[in-house]
Amino acid sequence: MQNKPLVFAIVITVFLLIDFYSWQAIRTASKDLGETARKVIFYSHWGIVLINIAILATLTFGKAYNLGPKAPAYLAVFLLAGYLSKLIIILFMLADDLIRLVKWVISLFVAKKTAVDAGIITPENTIPRSEFLAKAAILTAAVPVIGVTYGVLIGAHDYHIRHVKLKLPNLPSGFEGLKIGQISDVHSGSFYNKRAVTGGVEMLMGEKPDMIFFTGDLVNNIATEMRDYQDIFSKIKAPMGVYSIFGNHDYGDYLWWPEDGRKKRKNLQDLADTHRHMGWNLMLDEHKIIKAGSDEIGLIGIQNWGARAHFPKYGSMKKATANMPEVPVKLLLSHDPSHWEAQVLPQYPDIDVAFAGHTHGMQFGVEVGGYQWSPVKYMYPQWGGLYLSGKQQIYVNRGFGFLGFPGRIGMPPEITMFTLTKG
């Protein structure tokens, strides 16, 4: 990309303007400290600025991967946390400057002695920055740093089990009380803590599910990302089976491959083999009949199908449901929840419940009491939890792993446990 140096120069200029402006608040807030403390703060601030420039250069000119495949994400997070904090400082600074501007305008129309007595200007005819606003800015700016740090060090592996009762009017008695576990969006290429991941798997198995669903995105891009984690996920077993599907990241679409496509196809086959080696039943546009004694329900699993233009439509409901016998309940595994509104609801009214993932809850949000919010809701109407349309339902799992940002803030990784009941 020939314009990389120009883009780099523009971004560095913007960053430096932010650095200089935010420094004004830091200098004001620290003015009453001793000389040694002020020097430490000065050199720390501008030392971090130099580190930021080095990080940006590393990310821009493609050398970050030399430090390891996960290095770019962590370097980007360091920049994000720092400059988000500085932008918060700038908001306070702008408020301070607005106040100073108003005072300056007033001082033009008021006698100097009156303005000094009123505290509008100092005897030196200057309008100082507000030390209170400067200190408030710095305290507030610490919030995103603390949040991001928590999200990376703790939130990324703070697994939560959600218990959901699925009411199905036509549920056969043999399936009453059946426990189904669901995980989604493992993204093994992002993991860095095998012990924590093992703990998450053990939490799932501790629930003793009768059957388990995995709803796509086992890796970020390539099958070998599962090499260090295959043994861990092989521990996921259930008496009635583990059933899995592909997600959009499993196809290797976000990497460059040789034009003949052989390596890309081989990668996908290797990933399919990984599912099978772990004892999972990978479903590629097909259906299975699940039996409990003499009772039966249907399970359908399709490849990725996204309603948004930039996500692939590999799955085929027509193929998956071909020659499917009539059963009282049909469950669907489909990675992208947009598939539900776009195709399932209008064309397949006999699908009782769809199980999806994909959104991650954007790895950021708020969940308090019964209230939940995440920015991803503006892209996906069904983004986390259980949704109902008529007699049809969809559950969107918020994901087991993470992608891009190597953590989670207010949107913990999810293990879902469903209990089927007739109702």
Side-chain angles (χ1 to χ4, degrees):
M1 184 176 175
Q2 294 182 345
N3 62 348
K4 272 188 177 181
L6 176 60
V7 173
F8 176 75
I10 293 172
V11 174
I12 284 295
T13 301
V14 172
F15 276 17
L16 286 175
L17 289 174
I18 293 172
D19 291 322
F20 276 109
Y21 199 29
S22 59
W23 169 246
Q24 305 306 311
I26 296 171
R27 183 173 61 181
T28 299
S30 60
K31 69 178 185 179
D32 293 332
L33 300 177
E35 183 178 355
T36 301
R38 292 200 305 273
K39 283 184 178 180
V40 169
I41 292 171
F42 174 86
Y43 288 116
S44 296
H45 175 81
W46 294 108
I48 291 174
V49 169
L50 293 176
I51 293 172
N52 289 339
I53 293 173
I55 290 174
L56 186 62
T58 302
L59 292 172
T60 303
F61 299 107
K63 300 299 182 181
Y65 284 100
N66 294 343
L67 304 175
K70 300 179 180 66
Y74 288 96
L75 293 175
V77 165
F78 183 85
L79 284 178
L80 172 67
Y83 281 95
L84 184 58
S85 297
K86 290 175 183 178
L87 287 174
I88 290 175
I89 290 176
I90 285 175
L91 290 176
F92 279 83
M93 296 286 287
L94 289 173
D96 187 29
D97 284 342
L98 179 61
I99 293 171
R100 295 171 71 209
L101 175 63
V102 171
K103 287 184 175 182
W104 176 76
V105 171
I106 292 173
S107 72
L108 296 178
F109 300 96
V110 177
K112 180 178 178 180
K113 184 178 185 306
T114 303
V116 171
D117 291 342
I120 295 174
I121 62 174
T122 65
E124 293 79 21
N125 198 31
T126 60
I127 304 171
R129 288 196 176 275
S130 167
E131 187 175 347
F132 169 77
L133 283 178
K135 290 180 177 178
I138 292 171
L139 287 173
T140 307
V143 173
V145 174
I146 294 170
V148 169
T149 302
Y150 172 87
V152 173
L153 298 181
I154 299 174
H157 299 104
D158 185 21
Y159 301 104
H160 280 49
I161 297 176
R162 298 176 186 270
H163 292 91
V164 179
K165 184 175 288 188
L166 274 182
K167 296 181 179 181
L168 300 165
N170 299 321
L171 185 71
S173 59
F175 290 91
E176 181 69 37
L178 185 82
K179 294 173 66 176
I180 299 175
Q182 182 195 6
I183 61 171
S184 191
D185 299 87
V186 163
H187 288 288
S188 57
S190 299
F191 285 147
Y192 58 86
N193 188 334
K194 292 181 71 172
R195 183 177 178 181
V197 173
T198 300
V201 170
E202 289 174 349
M203 287 176 68
L204 168 61
M205 297 313 299
E207 293 291 311
K208 301 187 185 311
D210 299 301
M211 187 161 52
I212 297 173
F213 298 156
F214 171 70
T215 46
D217 279 1
L218 189 62
V219 297
N220 292 349
N221 294 295
I222 54 177
T224 53
E225 292 170 0
M226 272 298 290
R227 183 179 296 148
D228 294 335
Y229 292 90
Q230 182 171 324
D231 290 345
I232 296 173
F233 286 93
S234 293
K235 296 176 182 177
I236 296 179
K237 307 288 184 185
M240 298 178 69
V242 179
Y243 299 90
S244 60
I245 56 172
F246 282 150
N248 57 296
H249 276 268
D250 293 321
Y251 298 93
D253 288 345
Y254 306 109
L255 289 181
W256 179 87
W257 301 87
E259 290 184 5
D260 61 14
R262 285 183 296 177
K263 288 188 176 181
K264 185 179 181 182
R265 290 192 295 271
K266 174 65 165 54
N267 178 69
L268 190 62
Q269 183 58 54
D270 289 345
L271 189 59
D273 291 341
T274 297
H275 282 248
R276 297 186 179 102
H277 290 157
M278 293 190 301
W280 296 6
N281 298 285
L282 178 63
M283 302 183 71
L284 302 172
D285 300 334
E286 57 191 283
H287 66 263
K288 296 182 184 296
I289 301 302
I290 308 298
K291 297 185 177 183
S294 59
D295 292 325
E296 297 178 338
I297 62 174
L299 179 63
I300 303 162
I302 75 161
Q303 299 189 67
N304 193 80
W305 197 104
R308 291 177 172 270
H310 58 287
F311 288 118
K313 293 179 173 63
Y314 292 125
S316 170
M317 286 291 290
K318 183 177 180 180
K319 179 182 176 182
T321 57
N323 302 315
M324 186 175 185
E326 285 302 318
V327 287
V329 169
K330 292 181 181 179
L331 308 179
L332 171 67
L333 307 185
S334 179
H335 177 70
D336 191 323
S338 65
H339 178 224
W340 188 62
E341 279 194 338
Q343 189 179 62
V344 176
L345 290 181
Q347 299 179 31
Y348 295 88
D350 56 340
I351 300 295
D352 294 278
V353 186
F355 299 84
H358 184 61
T359 71
H360 300 207
M362 211 168 188
Q363 297 168 213
F364 173 79
V366 176
E367 294 185 283
V368 180
Y371 175 78
Q372 64 173 25
W373 177 88
S374 169
V376 77
K377 68 175 291 185
Y378 303 111
M379 294 177 279
Y380 290 91
Q382 296 82 35
W383 63 269
L386 186 65
Y387 300 85
L388 178 69
S389 178
K391 295 182 179 180
Q392 294 178 273
Q393 304 176 75
I394 183 173
Y395 190 89
V396 185
N397 181 285
R398 297 159 184 83
F400 187 90
F402 47 87
L403 181 68
F405 172 57
R408 287 174 172 265
I409 302 173
M411 193 60 57
E414 176 177 353
I415 299 164
T416 319
M417 286 301 307
F418 301 95
T419 301
L420 304 190
T421 184
K422 188 169 184 174

